[in-house]
Amino acid sequence: MAVTREAARATAADLPSVDRLLSLAPLVALAATAGREPVLAAARAHLAALRREALAGRLAPARLTDLSLATAIADAVAAAGTRRLRAVFNLTGIVLHTNLGRAPLPEAALEALLEAGRDAVSLEFDLGSGRRGERDAPVAALLAELCGAAAATVVNNNAAALVLVLSALAARREVLVSRGELIEIGGSFRLPDLMRAAGARLVEVGTTNRTHLEDYAAALGPRTALLLKVHPSNYVIRGFTASVSTPALAALARERGVPLAVDLGSGALAALGALGLPSEPVVRDTVAAGADLVTFSGDKLLGGPQAGLVVGRADLVARLARHPLKRALRAGKLTLAALEAVLGLYRDPDSIGRRLPALRLLSRPLVEIEAAARRLVPAVTAALGPDWSVSDAPMSGEIGSGAQPEQALPSHGLEIRRADGRRGAGVGALARRLRALPRPVIGRLANDALWLDLRCLEPDDEGRFVAALAALGP
Ligand SMILES: *Cc1c(COP(=O)(O)O)cnc(C)c1O
C-alpha cells in the first residue's frame, strides 16, 4: 500500500538555516523596509516553532517551501507591527463603554487633536500679551460660561478632580458624606479609599437608605472642611429612602460657612430629555442650586475626551489651581484641544444631538437601528458561512459609564446561533474569531448566542463592517 503524500512528515534535519531564510527575496525586500531585526526575530521564532512540530512528527513538508516560509515570517512581522490599541466595532450595546474608551469624538475634536499633535500650540502662551499664559484658560472660560459658573479648571479625569478637591480643601480635616453615597465606581475606585489617599477624614452621615438634613447639621463641627454630595451613578436606592437635595444642603453649607462640593459623575452639559433620553442632572442646574464646586467627567455624557472638570466658585477654583497636585494631574494639550472643540459644539444646543457622536448614538431612533439590522442579515450570513444562523432581534443596551443603570436603551441587532441548533457549541470560538479580525468586532455572549447590538454601527460604518467580516479566518 502506498503511503499518501499528505502523510509524509519533515524532520528537524529538513529545516533551513536562518541565513537561508533571510536570503529569500521577499524577506530581503521586507528587511529593507521593516528593518533587519524584526525579520530576523520572526525568522528565528518561526524556525523554533517548525522544529517543535518536526520533533512531534507533525511537520508537513509543504510548510518548508520558500513561499510558505516567507509568507509565514512576513505575516509575523506584520502582526508584531500592528498596534495593540486598535479601533474596534463596539457592538456591545453599551454606548459609553469604559473598557472600549467611552465617548467617540466629533470631527471638530479630531481636527483639533491632529493640529495640536502635529504643530506647536499656544498651550501656556497668551497670544495677546506675548507672555506665559494659563494652560486651562481657553477651555476654562468656555466651560464656566456653559455651566453658569464663576470659574473652572481641568484635570486628567473625574477621579483626579475629586482627589484635587479633597486634597486642596480638606487635607487633615473632615468631609461629610451620606452613607447612601459611599460609592465604588469600578476599577477599584472607592470613595473612602480616595479620601484616605487625599488625607481627608471621612465622616459618614445618616444611614444607607435614609439621610436627613439634621444628620448633616449634627455632624458639622469645627473640623469640617467640606460637605460632599455624590451622584449615585451606577446604582439606585429604592423603597424607604430619603436623601437631601442640593439646594437644602447648599443652604446649610452657606449658613455654617463650609463649602459644598457635588460629584456628578456623568454630568450632562445639556438637558437630555429633549433627545428622548432619561434625564441626568445638568451641571448648570447643580451650580444654580448652590453647589460651590461641581466635578464631572469629560468622556461620559459630555461626549468629549477623558478629562475631569471642576466648575464653581472662583476662590475655591483658585485654591485648586495653586495646589501642587494640580501640576501632577493637569491635562495634556491633546485633551485640551479636543475638549475645547467639543465644548464649542455646546454653544449651539439645538444641533448637539446631531453633531456630537455620543449623543447621536444614544438618541438614535429605534426604527433606524431595526432597519440596519434587517439590511445586514444577508451579508453577515454570507460572511459567517453555513454553520451559523443570523437573524435580527430586539435587544436592550445601556448608556454605560454608570449613567442611569436601570434605564435600558431599547435597541436592535443581530442574534447569531449555531445553524444545527446545538446549544453552546462554538459560540465562544466565533466570538474569538471576530475579536481576532484586523478591526475586531466586540459583541455580547448570552444564552448560547452571540449578540451584536447595532446602535453604535452608524450607516457610514456598515460597509467597513461587512468588509471586515470578509477577512474572517477559520
Ligand atoms: C465615573 C464617575 C467617577 C469617575 O470618573 P472618571 O472620569 O472615570 O475618573 C467619579 N464619580 C462618579 C459619581 C462617577 O460616576
Side-chain angles (χ1 to χ4, degrees):
M1 222 169 62
V3 175
T4 59
R5 260 162 40 86
E6 284 76 12
R9 288 294 175 258
T11 70
D14 300 323
L15 295 178
S17 67
V18 174
D19 285 343
R20 201 181 95 63
L21 287 178
L22 293 183
S23 70
L24 294 172
L27 297 187
V28 171
L30 182 60
T33 55
R36 191 181 128 81
E37 281 309 311
V39 180
L40 178 61
R44 285 201 176 117
H46 190 55
L47 272 181
L50 293 176
R51 183 164 294 112
R52 278 193 300 275
E53 290 182 43
L55 294 176
R58 289 190 282 104
L59 181 59
R63 306 273 308 282
L64 299 183
T65 64
D66 285 355
L67 180 63
S68 172
L69 290 164
T71 306
I73 292 164
D75 285 353
V77 171
T82 15
R83 281 176 280 126
R84 298 271 305 272
L85 184 64
R86 316 229 288 278
V88 304
F89 290 103
N90 171 13
L91 306 189
T92 60
I94 301 168
V95 179
L96 302 172
H97 199 307
T98 298
N99 305 147
L100 300 180
R102 293 192 184 158
L105 295 176
E107 279 309 315
L110 301 179
E111 281 163 26
L113 261 179
L114 206 63
E115 200 172 297
R118 192 180 42 214
D119 301 324
V121 289
S122 54
L123 181 64
E124 291 183 1
F125 186 80
D126 187 308
L127 291 170
S129 68
R131 282 204 273 274
R132 189 175 188 285
E134 267 299 315
R135 162 177 297 248
D136 288 353
V139 173
L142 183 51
L143 187 59
E145 172 198 318
L146 289 169
C147 298
T153 188
V154 182
V155 286
N156 215 344
N157 53 36
N158 190 24
L162 271 173
V163 169
L164 182 59
V165 167
L166 294 169
S167 304
L169 305 185
R172 290 181 302 279
R173 297 179 63 204
E174 293 179 353
V175 180
L176 309 194
V177 186
S178 162
R179 285 202 167 88
E181 299 173 357
L182 288 174
I183 56 168
E184 171 175 321
I185 297 288
S188 73
F189 169 74
R190 286 181 160 186
L191 194 60
D193 297 339
L194 208 87
M195 291 249 185
R196 209 167 305 121
R201 211 169 86 69
L202 167 66
V203 176
E204 301 179 17
V205 175
T207 61
T208 304
N209 57 331
R210 291 174 71 84
T211 300
H212 305 280
L213 191 61
E214 305 83 73
D215 297 324
Y216 285 97
L220 243 162
R223 281 186 304 274
T224 310
L226 186 71
L227 303 189
L228 177 62
K229 184 169 172 61
V230 183
H231 179 58
S233 310
N234 51 2
Y235 65 100
V236 175
I237 296 182
R238 232 196 320 252
F240 183 56
T241 67
S243 62
V244 183
S245 71
T246 300
L249 214 46
L252 174 69
R254 219 169 8 252
E255 184 192 314
R256 301 289 194 92
V258 172
L260 166 68
V262 178
D263 173 24
L264 277 188
S266 263
L269 273 196
L272 302 180
L275 297 173
L277 288 168
S279 64
E280 271 278 318
V282 175
V283 179
R284 173 179 275 279
D285 297 344
T286 307
V287 172
D292 296 298
L293 287 177
V294 183
T295 65
F296 53 105
S297 296
D299 53 355
K300 292 184 176 173
L301 282 173
L302 191 146
Q306 179 191 305
L309 312 179
V310 190
V311 302
R313 255 167 59 187
D315 60 324
L316 298 179
V317 171
R319 277 171 70 186
L320 304 187
R322 281 198 305 269
H323 194 275
L325 266 184
K326 172 62 170 66
R327 173 63 180 78
L329 302 174
R330 75 183 185 189
K333 66 171 181 173
L334 301 181
T335 299
L336 292 169
L339 186 61
E340 184 183 15
V342 170
L343 293 176
L345 297 182
Y346 277 95
R347 282 216 157 114
D348 177 14
D350 293 337
S351 70
I352 198 78
R354 259 182 300 116
R355 294 170 71 197
L356 200 59
L359 296 183
R360 190 170 68 229
L361 293 173
L362 286 167
S363 61
R364 223 177 142 192
L366 184 56
V367 286
E368 203 185 295
I369 309 172
E370 288 168 344
R374 282 193 283 271
R375 211 161 40 234
L376 283 167
V377 166
V380 175
T381 304
L384 298 186
D387 289 347
W388 300 98
S389 127
V390 181
S391 53
D392 74 284
M395 299 178 188
S396 174
E398 292 169 38
I399 294 178
S401 287
Q404 298 288 343
E406 293 213 302
Q407 292 275 355
L409 279 184
S411 190
H412 211 82
L414 303 175
E415 175 184 355
I416 304 172
R417 295 186 176 277
R418 292 275 306 194
D420 60 13
R422 277 166 60 209
R423 302 179 66 83
V427 185
L430 177 65
R432 238 182 344 266
R433 283 166 62 207
L434 290 172
R435 288 200 307 272
L437 288 169
R439 176 154 177 184
V441 174
I442 317 290
R444 196 154 47 169
L445 284 169
N447 303 327
D448 299 307
L450 176 64
W451 307 81
L452 304 181
D453 186 314
L454 295 178
R455 173 178 294 279
C456 294
L457 189 75
E458 294 198 274
D460 284 353
D461 292 329
E462 285 178 21
R464 270 195 298 163
F465 171 64
V466 172
L469 289 185
L472 262 186

